[in-house]
Amino acid sequence: GAGVSQTPSNKVTEKGKYVELRCDPISGHTALYWYRQSLGQGPEFLIYFQGTGAADDSGLPNDRFFAVRPEGSVSTLKIQRTERGDSAVYLCASSVTGTGVSPLHFGNGTRLTVT
Amino acid sequence: TQLLEQSPQFLSIQEGENLTVYCNSSSVFSSLQWYRQEPGEGPVLLVTVVTGGEVKKLKRLTFQFGDARKDSSLHITAAQPGDTGLYLCAGDSGNQFYFGTGTSLTVIP
């Protein structure tokens, strides 16, 4: 079966613009995570969904960031009024249950560049 | 924020050498996972350790979970160029996975 799919793979936008990043998890995975990663660093947690609801959104840096998962499958990360500091690789991962014994399956990420 | 510190941050070694990567935290985790990431790709799971003191072997890789479940180590024997990548530990706190700061390994042929 297909793995986690993220689109677009690259996104260049101007400061102040709005962007949407899409994540298609593995079918049947109830847990979905968004992370942000800078070059050579570990992924930084943003938000975790269990089904349709955000179980933990404590990692969202400010109210410009928002994520949805309306049908418990595809998720969209939305960033308003982008800033140059938002430039990073945004990773999405899904897992069967969301517990520690259930591995995270990552997509290849969306590289966001804010000019 | 539960911080997982990895050391060393960068490691460059010759093929055939042994190495150990450390993952330390002041927090207790119910389980800990190790991932390897290559450029342009997402991290890929290597192993999950659950029990304090647990040791798992995966070919030339040996993983250990500390007795108190706050730290872990990854030992690679006879490193090969194919081992090159970013190694990440991730602790499960029950609601999310916290990733370590990462260890970038380069194995020179």
Side-chain angles (χ1 to χ4, degrees):
Chain A
V4 176
S5 175
Q6 290 188 247
T7 54
S9 55
N10 280 283
K11 176 71 177 178
V12 180
T13 190
E14 292 180 348
K15 179 176 179 294
K17 298 290 188 183
Y18 168 83
V19 295
E20 289 190 354
L21 312 180
R22 177 187 167 108
C23 173
D24 239 298
I26 293 173
S27 178
H29 282 195
T30 62
L32 185 145
Y33 302 78
W34 283 100
Y35 287 87
R36 179 167 70 174
Q37 186 176 31
S38 299
L39 188 63
Q41 300 295 311
E44 173 194 4
F45 171 79
L46 296 176
I47 187 169
Y48 158 52
F49 286 92
Q50 186 61 251
T52 60
D56 187 343
D57 65 357
S58 62
L60 295 177
N62 51 59
D63 61 5
R64 296 187 298 106
F65 288 74
F66 189 70
V68 295
R69 194 186 186 199
E71 297 178 358
S73 177
V74 171
S75 177
T76 305
L77 178 65
K78 309 179 181 192
I79 310 174
Q80 298 177 324
R81 304 183 304 280
T82 52
E83 299 177 358
R84 292 195 180 88
D86 298 335
S87 296
V89 174
Y90 288 81
L91 292 168
C92 175
S94 69
S95 73
V96 174
T97 62
T99 64
V101 295
S102 177
L104 299 180
H105 298 264
F106 282 88
N108 287 337
T110 293
R111 180 176 297 280
L112 176 66
T113 303
V114 182
T115 62
Chain B
T1 301
Q2 295 162 294
L3 190 62
L4 281 158
E5 291 280 355
Q6 288 185 236
S7 61
Q9 185 178 359
F10 298 98
L11 192 54
S12 182
I13 61 172
Q14 295 289 333
E15 182 177 358
E17 292 184 354
N18 302 331
L19 67 115
T20 302
V21 176
Y22 298 93
C23 172
N24 295 297
S25 175
S26 58
S27 301
V28 176
F29 294 101
S30 52
S31 69
L32 192 138
Q33 300 178 342
W34 282 92
Y35 291 79
R36 186 165 78 99
Q37 184 178 23
E38 299 195 29
E41 299 181 4
V44 176
L45 180 73
L46 296 173
V47 78
T48 301
V49 285
V50 178
T51 306
E54 181 177 4
V55 177
K56 278 194 174 177
K57 291 193 174 184
L58 185 66
K59 297 184 181 177
R60 295 176 293 101
L61 279 60
T62 302
F63 305 84
Q64 183 160 10
F65 201 10
D67 291 341
R69 291 186 287 125
K70 293 182 180 181
D71 53 81
S72 181
S73 64
L74 157 60
H75 182 78
I76 301 179
T77 304
Q80 299 179 358
D83 295 329
T84 294
L86 180 67
Y87 287 81
L88 298 160
C89 60
D92 170 29
S93 68
N95 223 21
Q96 54 166 288
F97 289 87
Y98 291 94
F99 276 83
T101 47
T103 295
S104 181
L105 171 66
T106 302
V107 182
I108 303 164

